[in-house]
């Protein structure tokens, strides 16, 4: 039996073209400490699929460029995302998908903090705690079913 969606008709936003084009020629030595910027992080996560709809986080405005903050000096990335509804039960799954994508894509020197945008979720504190607690994240990543769902969100497909 199909589960009812929390937000049957989400608002879909126009997708913006990438501001920069990246190519393999841009990649230098593997061990080089190359600086990153927020635009590159945005490019990495914008196409993550929403777990409930066959749309990307960019199309739903869950992820926006101005909510990504990166400091190369301290190797920290801070991301705020906005769920489509204040009672979204998929918020921790969305945040976990963002974290996994960045763990797989960024150099290991980066510390990533992920938060729901202030005032955008009814259980903001609990969601933020789950997303940024190392032990909870590690436990989630050991759950084979959960990792399957995350991997499905990370593969750019609209088959749900």
């Amino acid at each position: 039996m199909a589960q009812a969606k929390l937000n049957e008709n989400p608002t879909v936003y126009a997708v913006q073209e990438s501001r920069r084009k990246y190519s393999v020629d841009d990649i230098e030595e593997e061990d080089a400490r190359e600086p990153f910027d927020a635009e590159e992080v945005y490019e990495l996560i914008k196409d993550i699929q929403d777990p409930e709809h066959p749309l990307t986080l960019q199309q739903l405005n869950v992820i926006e460029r101005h909510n990504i903050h990166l400091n190369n000096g301290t190797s920290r990335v801070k991301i705020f995302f906005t769920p489509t509804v204040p009672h979204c039960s998929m918020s921790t799954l969305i945040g976990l998908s963002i974290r996994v994508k960045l763990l797989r894509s960024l150099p290991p020197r980066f510390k990533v903090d992920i938060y729901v945008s202030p005032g955008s979720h009814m259980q903001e504190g609990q969601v933020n705690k789950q997303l940024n607690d190392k032990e909870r994240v590690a436990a989630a990543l050991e759950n084979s079913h959960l990792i399957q769902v995350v991997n499905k969100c990370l593969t750019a497909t609209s088959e749900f």
Side-chain angles (χ1 to χ4, degrees):
M1 183 172 170
Q3 185 177 2
K5 295 181 179 180
L6 289 174
N7 187 0
E8 285 290 333
N9 297 308
T11 303
V12 179
Y13 297 85
V15 175
Q16 296 178 355
E17 287 292 317
S18 296
R19 294 182 183 170
R20 284 195 291 194
K21 299 294 181 194
Y22 300 97
S23 75
V24 177
D25 298 330
D26 294 338
I27 301 172
E28 295 177 10
E29 291 183 38
E30 183 84 18
D31 296 332
R33 192 173 172 99
E34 185 178 335
F36 279 78
D37 62 25
E39 178 68 21
E40 289 174 291
V41 173
Y42 178 78
E43 289 296 320
L44 290 170
I45 63 175
K46 69 182 176 70
D47 293 324
I48 294 173
Q49 297 289 310
D50 181 82
E52 196 173 32
H53 301 284
L55 299 165
T56 67
L57 298 184
Q58 178 188 32
Q59 289 172 310
L60 294 171
N61 249 20
V62 171
I63 293 292
E64 297 179 88
R65 284 179 173 89
H66 69 271
N67 285 330
I68 300 171
H69 310 279
L70 186 137
N71 183 323
N72 279 294
T74 60
S75 297
R76 291 195 73 117
V77 178
K78 186 184 281 190
I79 296 174
F80 293 91
F81 70 95
T82 306
T84 58
V85 291
H87 55 277
C88 179
S89 63
M90 300 290 167
S91 293
T92 52
L93 184 56
I94 291 169
L96 186 62
S97 297
I98 294 168
R99 180 172 299 285
V100 169
K101 178 67 176 181
L102 294 178
L103 280 171
R104 293 177 181 174
S105 304
L106 289 176
R109 75 175 189 264
F110 282 100
K111 162 90 170 85
V112 177
D113 296 311
I114 300 171
Y115 303 97
V116 292
S117 298
S120 68
H121 197 281
M122 291 171 30
Q123 296 178 329
E124 179 182 331
Q126 293 94 321
V127 172
N128 289 340
K129 185 174 182 177
Q130 283 186 308
L131 293 176
N132 294 293
D133 183 295
K134 284 183 180 181
E135 291 175 7
R136 290 179 190 208
V137 170
L141 295 178
E142 290 176 4
N143 180 321
S144 61
H145 174 70
L146 193 53
I147 234 10
Q148 274 185 313
V149 176
V150 167
N151 285 335
K152 190 172 184 178
C153 291
L154 298 182
T155 56
T157 180
S158 55
E159 297 175 27
F160 275 85

